[in-house]
Amino acid sequence: MIPTTYITPYKSTAVIIGSTPIGGNNPIRIQSMTNTDTLDTKASVAQCIRIIEAGADYVRLTAQGIREAENLAVIKKELRKAGFDTPLIADIHFNPVAAETAAQLVEKVRINPGNYADKRASFEKIELTEKKYNEELERTHAKLLPLINICRENKTVIRIGINHGSLSDRIMTRFGNTPSGMVFSAMEFIRIFRAENFNNLVLSMKSSDTTIMIEATRKLVGVMQDEGLSYPLHLGVTEAGEGEDGRIRSAAGIGALLSEVIGDTIRVSLSEDPEKEIPVAKKLAGYYPRGISNTKPEKPVSFKSPSSKPEILKRINGPLVIANMTSYPEIDSDRYKDAGYSVNLLTAEIRRTDSSADLIIASKCPENIPDDVSLVLPYKIWFDNRDNKRLFPLFTPDTFHESTFRSEKLNVLLTGSHFNIEYLKRPDSATTLVIFTFNSEEEKYAADLFLNALEENNLNINIVLNPVFRENDIEELQIKAASLLGRYVIDKRVSGISLTNIGNVDFREVTALAFSILQCTETRITRTLYLSCPTCGRTKFNLQESVRKVKEATGHLKGLKIAVMGCIVNGPGEMAGADYGYVGAAYGKVHLYRGTIPVLKNIPEKDAAEELLKLIENDLS
């Protein structure tokens, strides 16, 4: 049986990869992957150096064939000659002989159980008897044996790298394309390696869906703890994308696990030059470094957002976004723009958009309140204007505890880490929304303690988390906010988020960031969602340019999920949840997918974005 929880903390056993050990008490290691042709020694060496100089502990290169695997020796020799001893990792799909070749040359080999011994998944059900199933496992064991012996002899580490997008048909027939299937696939391989007394292993559970990536990793930790295993874990969100979305999606998934003291090495997969991944990964590791567990509560959070909600929450398909504008003396047209509203320059009409804050907290009551706006005001000011149906009261803990008069629709309580749980014990919790404010640096686990207290006291209250940051750099704020809040919205612990930043970042960007966190965790979709892989040596077209073209062509659409994939290794599987896919097929050629079905094949790259738009428009017409 595969558990849904794990026992904290998880302490991995150290594994030595060349000159750089991983796991145990070692720092969280940072890595990236080249996107050059591995047969192009000069370009690969140059890119490896850029990645290393950016701060990577390991560099991974694709070795799709024996020639590429053999050339790793030349690349390694050139790097050592240039004074770099960073361990190299070979990335293998479909080709055991390439893995066996690379394992004699580099310090670590990544293999994919979904295609190491099995052919490419057809996504068709293949019913196997128990006898036939065991025969398949024996065949897999036999295929792995040469690699195990080579790695033992050369002290080469193996990463068992499970991808949500490339499970074998054998696994998917039993479990579907699910986190449980991912865990079962990993454990099949672990048991084969253990049967051969080989434990130089690292594990990873990757997906482009942050929820699946987190759930699969937690489940794997639970199974390993049940069986007394403690292999190091590699964390990453595949096809995270580029720009803000790529950073936020990666931070939400990786940060959620790092906050739970899970993870020994991380790779942030961006559709950008690989050296740009390193600063992002370093910021993530710096926000949840080793030792953070000293302030983490022993009890995991089990509190869930209640099903009964105030009326305003029922109208929204996902968590709330609240803009706290109490620092402004007046709420004027510029402030409404900051909260995501549109302002007509000719008529001054203020209208709600898909990215407008659901509630605005203000210190004063404006003379005119637009029809689309809901304001939260200090209790006494609200009381004097309570006939206005677009106004709601804001309470301190004292006024909340003492007052007898309430709004029938929504009452907002602002509290913090020094809360008094007794003040929350009111019978009218169905209309109550609690905004929990805490310091994003010194109180990273304050929300866990608060939610645990609510659970212990059987208080079913809707909670909005409001971490306070002090950032002057938008990327720093993106990474920290997403890694801090991601797990709460993904696990459905809270009913909304609000970001406060005391620093030099425009308020409008802060509001947009809150929506981006919900978008990238797929808890509230307000625009088209894009997945795109970081590219590697298998990519046969300019993926970064293609991502730009696809976004330009389809950015006006709303609510779709579009995947841009460099190749067909993981592409069709990873984009299983996407509405449409743009997948590299050959040099300069692209397959276009509707869901997991290819509908247009070998489209010239220059025409592919336009053809994708035509396909979507025809489907929508």
Side-chain angles (χ1 to χ4, degrees), residues 212-426:
I212 288 172
M213 172 262 192
I214 292 168
E215 183 182 349
T217 306
R218 286 171 174 166
K219 283 176 178 285
L220 177 65
V221 168
V223 171
M224 288 203 295
Q225 287 182 320
D226 284 347
E227 299 195 13
L229 307 177
S230 55
Y231 297 113
L233 292 165
H234 169 124
L235 305 182
V237 178
T238 60
E239 290 84 40
E242 48 89 53
E244 178 188 58
D245 283 359
R247 285 154 177 78
I248 291 172
R249 189 174 287 113
S250 291
I254 296 171
L257 294 167
L258 290 180
S259 74
E260 296 169 3
V261 204
I262 295 172
D264 301 284
T265 180
I266 61 178
R267 191 261 172 117
V268 173
S269 298
L270 300 177
S271 300
E272 301 176 22
D273 295 337
E275 58 267 27
K276 292 184 179 180
E277 297 176 353
I278 304 303
V280 180
K282 290 173 77 171
K283 287 173 183 175
L284 252 175
Y287 194 55
Y288 285 113
R290 295 286 195 221
I292 193 71
S293 58
N294 294 335
T295 59
K296 181 183 180 297
E298 290 185 12
K299 180 185 175 185
V301 177
S302 58
F303 180 86
K304 288 283 188 181
S305 183
S307 56
S308 60
K309 297 182 182 297
E311 191 61 37
I312 189 170
L313 271 75
K314 294 178 182 177
R315 301 198 304 265
I316 295 164
N317 186 23
L320 282 170
V321 171
I322 297 180
N324 187 340
M325 303 189 118
T326 52
S327 60
Y328 294 110
E330 302 287 344
I331 303 297
D332 56 19
S333 60
D334 283 339
R335 299 291 77 81
Y336 286 121
K337 284 183 182 178
D338 286 344
Y341 287 81
S342 69
V343 179
N344 188 305
L345 296 178
L346 296 177
T347 65
E349 183 184 26
I350 294 165
R351 300 295 297 175
R352 182 176 181 79
T353 71
D354 290 329
S355 300
S356 300
D358 303 299
L359 293 170
I360 296 175
I361 304 177
S363 56
K364 294 181 181 179
C365 185
E367 287 187 19
N368 297 305
I369 303 171
D371 290 341
D372 279 357
V373 175
S374 296
L375 290 178
V376 178
L377 299 170
Y379 176 71
K380 290 182 180 179
I381 298 175
W382 168 79
F383 189 84
D384 294 337
N385 297 273
R386 62 187 180 278
D387 291 337
N388 190 319
K389 302 303 181 185
R390 297 191 299 281
L391 302 181
F392 304 100
L394 179 69
F395 294 89
T396 65
D398 288 336
T399 56
F400 185 79
H401 182 62
E402 297 167 1
S403 65
T404 55
F405 194 85
R406 303 293 188 90
S407 165
E408 295 179 356
K409 292 186 176 181
L410 178 67
N411 298 283
V412 181
L413 166 62
L414 191 64
T415 189
S417 55
H418 300 293
F419 61 91
N420 185 336
I421 199 71
E422 296 301 318
Y423 284 6
L424 301 179
K425 294 179 179 179
R426 297 279 305 225

Side-chain angles (χ1 to χ4, degrees), residues 110-150:
R110 178 274 172 115
I111 61 173
N112 183 345
N115 57 40
Y116 191 82
D118 295 294
K119 63 182 181 179
R120 190 186 309 277
S122 62
F123 300 95
E124 295 178 359
K125 295 201 91 175
I126 298 176
E127 298 293 348
L128 298 175
T129 63
E130 199 64 29
K131 179 184 177 185
K132 189 67 176 173
Y133 194 94
N134 289 331
E135 287 173 357
E136 289 289 303
L137 285 182
E138 289 173 12
R139 182 178 60 82
T140 299
H141 192 144
K143 279 240 181 175
L144 280 168
L145 198 53
L147 178 66
I148 293 171
N149 291 332
I150 290 169

Side-chain angles (χ1 to χ4, degrees), residues 39-202:
L39 293 175
D40 187 338
T41 301
K42 184 177 179 181
S44 297
V45 169
Q47 194 171 73
C48 285
I49 290 173
R50 291 196 296 273
I51 293 170
I52 294 165
E53 289 182 337
D57 297 298
Y58 311 116
V59 179
R60 182 158 45 113
L61 303 95
T62 188
Q64 63 266 50
I66 297 172
R67 290 175 61 225
E68 288 85 357
E70 289 174 340
N71 203 51
L72 293 173
V74 183
I75 293 170
K76 182 177 179 180
K77 181 180 177 182
E78 291 299 313
L79 285 170
R80 301 298 180 258
K81 192 189 300 182
F84 299 96
D85 66 350
T86 303
L88 300 184
I89 303 166
D91 191 76
I92 309 293
H93 290 276
F94 299 111
N95 198 328
V97 179
E100 293 157 16
T101 304
Q104 301 172 63
L105 305 172
V106 297
E107 289 82 359
K108 182 181 173 186
V109 173
R110 178 274 172 115
I111 61 173
N112 183 345
N115 57 40
Y116 191 82
D118 295 294
K119 63 182 181 179
R120 190 186 309 277
S122 62
F123 300 95
E124 295 178 359
K125 295 201 91 175
I126 298 176
E127 298 293 348
L128 298 175
T129 63
E130 199 64 29
K131 179 184 177 185
K132 189 67 176 173
Y133 194 94
N134 289 331
E135 287 173 357
E136 289 289 303
L137 285 182
E138 289 173 12
R139 182 178 60 82
T140 299
H141 192 144
K143 279 240 181 175
L144 280 168
L145 198 53
L147 178 66
I148 293 171
N149 291 332
I150 290 169
C151 288
R152 195 195 319 275
E153 182 179 342
N154 290 274
K155 295 184 171 59
T156 307
V157 175
I158 295 176
R159 169 156 70 97
I160 301 173
I162 309 295
N163 274 83
H164 178 229
S166 55
L167 296 177
S168 68
D169 284 328
R170 185 181 76 255
I171 294 293
M172 285 195 285
T173 294
R174 286 201 171 189
F175 295 94
N177 196 15
T178 64
S180 294
M182 294 170 70
V183 174
F184 200 85
S185 180
M187 294 307 299
E188 279 188 350
F189 267 53
I190 289 172
R191 290 181 179 118
I192 290 171
F193 282 108
R194 287 181 63 77
E196 297 297 331
N197 197 28
F198 185 93
N199 289 290
N200 237 7
L201 301 175
V202 176

Side-chain angles (χ1 to χ4, degrees), residues 553 556-557 580 610 612-621:
H556 61 287
L557 303 171
Y580 296 94
E610 185 179 341
L612 175 63
L613 178 60
K614 287 180 183 177
L615 173 64
I616 296 171
E617 288 178 338
N618 286 337
D619 287 350
L620 295 177
S621 63

